[in-house]
Amino acid sequence: MLTWEDDVEVHALHKRGWTISAIARHTGFDRKTVRKYLAGDGEPGVRARPGPDPFEPFVDYVTARLIEDPHLWARTLLDELEELGFALSYQSLTRNIRQRNLRPVCEACRTATERPNAVIPHAPGNETQWDWLELPNPPEAWGWGKTAHLLVGSLAHSAKWRAALSASEDQPHLVAGLDRVARGLGGVTRVWRFDRMTTVCDPGSGRGDRLVRRRGQALRGGGGDLSGSAREPQGRGGEGQPHRRPALVAHPGR
């Protein structure tokens, strides 16, 4: 089965002239599967289940917990479910919550997300947006105190994203996170956009930091430490461009 994101990637690569065999090697899917979805014979995100649904016995518990706390972390919920015999993965839990609409809508959050937005078109391979998110009250076993930090890199065209957990937002952790996320995305784009990051751009001069810029160039291919074919573009949705060096666009004052 292909997810909607996988289906978008397969069709994007096909439009760029990739053969079915090349797409299958790049995505890890069987050639028959790739051919099936390109022909429109498969519905993304839908899998025929041969037996009983293993999530069904836990629907009532998950529903009750999310009604009690709509902002409950899925990771915390998974820990509780595992004590009850839940054997599925974290990804299966979040997918079932999403597909079954088990998480109630928070009116306060809806007010923030339903404000007018300006949609800016982005060409494939044009831009990656980088942001830090603060996660309160991480598990004590992590040893990170009261806050964990998540570096998120999202491709502007396809909205594909990857993230890396970190104990801090300082520059060493930023550079390590850039490496992990870029590898997870499969490549880098022409422009990297950072908002409110003084570890990337000097607030006074507006100049990008040399260390971050060099790391971006290394991931682009100048350092040769990002594996990938020299002939085929990298990145989910066909967005990565492994032979161009990324420009750093920073807005620390936002």
Side-chain angles (χ1 to χ4, degrees):
M1 182 200 75
L2 268 63
T3 65
W4 283 102
E5 294 154 335
D6 294 328
D7 185 67
V8 168
E9 178 184 14
V10 165
H11 280 83
L13 295 176
H14 187 255
K15 289 180 180 178
R16 298 181 68 172
W18 285 39
T19 65
I20 290 178
S21 295
I23 296 173
R25 288 194 301 269
H26 178 72
T27 60
F29 295 113
D30 185 80
R31 285 179 296 175
K32 293 180 181 178
T33 301
V34 173
R35 187 179 291 109
K36 172 183 175 182
Y37 281 83
L38 287 175
D41 296 331
E43 184 178 353
V46 177
R47 185 196 302 272
R49 187 175 297 279
D53 183 357
F55 188 81
E56 191 63 33
F58 303 94
V59 170
D60 290 342
Y61 182 88
V62 172
T63 301
R65 290 291 285 121
L66 292 177
I67 290 176
E68 179 183 2
D69 182 4
H71 300 99
L72 180 67
W73 284 20
R75 178 70 254 182
T76 302
L77 183 57
L78 179 62
D79 291 340
E80 297 177 6
L81 290 171
E82 287 176 343
E83 296 180 359
L84 300 176
F86 187 79
L88 299 178
S89 66
Y90 173 85
Q91 290 80 4
S92 296
L93 171 60
T94 56
R95 183 178 65 252
N96 275 280
I97 291 175
R98 182 174 61 254
Q99 292 178 346
R100 299 168 186 259
N101 295 318
L102 299 182
R103 190 181 294 275
V105 176
C106 173
E107 294 300 326
C109 296
R110 171 184 285 183
T111 301
T113 57
E114 291 187 351
R115 290 177 295 192
N117 292 279
V119 179
I120 303 174
H122 294 278
N126 184 55
E127 182 176 301
T128 304
Q129 173 73 38
W130 299 90
D131 294 288
W132 280 113
L133 299 178
E134 293 188 354
L135 307 177
N137 303 319
E140 293 184 4
W142 293 5
W144 290 354
K146 296 183 178 180
T147 306
H149 305 270
L150 189 71
L151 179 65
V152 181
S154 58
L155 298 175
H157 175 72
S158 66
K160 190 76 178 182
W161 64 273
R162 289 292 183 269
L165 276 169
S166 176
S168 171
E169 295 183 12
D170 60 17
Q171 194 171 75
H173 286 90
L174 170 66
V175 172
L178 291 173
D179 183 277
R180 291 177 58 193
V181 175
R183 291 175 187 274
L185 288 171
V188 292
T189 55
R190 288 186 288 272
V191 175
W192 283 4
R193 183 175 297 275
F194 300 82
D195 296 341
R196 301 182 296 276
M197 289 193 195
T198 56
T199 52
V200 174
C201 176
D202 181 81
S205 65
R207 298 183 61 181
D209 182 84
R210 182 179 300 177
L211 176 62
V212 176
R213 186 179 298 277
R214 285 181 176 176
R215 190 57 193 151
Q217 292 172 355
L219 288 170
R220 172 61 64 192
D225 62 347
L226 181 62
S227 60
S229 169
R231 297 183 299 275
E232 296 178 351
Q234 306 295 302
R236 310 295 286 182
E239 291 196 53
Q241 305 290 334
H243 306 300
R244 296 191 182 94
R245 293 183 176 181
L248 303 182
V249 182
H251 299 281
R254 281 192 180 181

